[in-house]
Amino acid sequence: TGRRYNQLNYRDNLSGLKRDGVADGGLVRCSRAPQQLTLLATLTVADMVRAYMGALVQRVEAGDRSTHTRVAYEKALRIGAMRHFAAVEADRVTPRQVAQMRAEIAETRGPSIAAQAVKVFGMAYRHAQREGLLGADIDPTRHVRRRQPARDRRRPLTADASRRVVEHCLDALSGRP
């Protein structure tokens, strides 16, 4: 499910009641029957992005990536993932939400920046999977089209095509059909 569980043996000698509380930053559930305390450590998108950026900084320091790449990826994550999902649990983000994020960024900043935001967000998910922070099946960016910007469809004329255009223009100027 993308969550790490730490099982702690727990025995409530006084009440034996179910209790909910917070311990060590995670959600704690106490169940009466097995008398176990379950600590659910939640990974937010902000945590995931920090882990990815930490690994990227190490790669920059090792010379595997450029500082320019780090700055560009950091900007893409700040515009996309951090602005839209920072406090959300990483395994709760849906492809529909990522597509909506892409559409909003494309509208305000342009399609190429939106595509990069989705791409780098996906890289952060894949890093979390490699590190064992998320399950292998959790990546809401995987099926979201990044929609590359429309390419310029103009092409230069070939020598033959330009000759035909010139001939056509000369025929038009001389009055021939």
Side-chain angles (χ1 to χ4, degrees):
T1 63
R3 295 183 180 159
R4 288 191 176 181
Y5 293 87
N6 295 314
Q7 297 288 330
L8 305 171
N9 291 326
Y10 175 80
R11 183 175 181 109
D12 187 87
N13 291 337
L14 298 175
S15 66
L17 298 174
K18 291 183 180 180
R19 294 189 178 132
D20 291 333
V22 175
D24 296 329
L27 172 66
V28 175
R29 289 192 309 221
C30 302
S31 60
R32 185 176 184 173
Q35 296 301 324
Q36 286 184 334
L37 182 70
T38 303
L39 176 65
L40 296 173
T42 57
L43 178 72
T44 64
V45 169
D47 296 334
M48 183 181 70
V49 166
R50 276 192 289 274
Y52 175 68
M53 288 307 299
L56 183 61
V57 166
Q58 289 177 349
R59 292 185 76 185
V60 169
E61 289 170 354
D64 294 338
R65 290 282 184 261
S66 72
T67 302
H68 176 75
T69 299
R70 182 195 58 80
V71 170
Y73 286 6
E74 185 175 27
K75 180 181 177 183
L77 287 167
R78 190 175 57 249
I79 289 169
M82 295 301 283
R83 181 169 290 161
H84 291 83
F85 305 114
V88 178
E89 292 178 26
D91 61 347
R92 302 270 186 216
V93 178
T94 66
R96 177 174 281 182
Q97 290 171 320
V98 174
Q100 184 178 5
M101 174 194 79
R102 179 198 24 105
E104 289 174 12
I105 295 170
E107 189 174 307
T108 58
R109 302 234 181 187
S112 62
I113 293 175
Q116 185 175 27
V118 173
K119 178 184 88 172
V120 178
F121 193 23
M123 293 167 73
Y125 267 96
R126 287 184 291 284
H127 172 77
Q129 290 168 350
R130 282 191 306 274
E131 295 297 316
L133 301 172
L134 287 175
D137 60 333
I138 300 174
D139 183 357
T141 67
R142 184 179 7 195
H143 299 295
V144 175
R145 291 183 48 167
R146 291 192 296 242
R147 290 198 185 172
Q148 296 297 328
R151 301 204 188 280
D152 190 0
R153 302 278 181 200
R154 294 179 290 171
R155 293 180 300 204
L157 293 174
T158 63
D160 188 44
S162 62
R163 188 174 15 72
R164 284 190 306 240
V165 168
V166 169
E167 288 173 1
H168 183 70
C169 290
L170 290 174
D171 288 345
L173 290 173
S174 68
R176 289 184 279 171

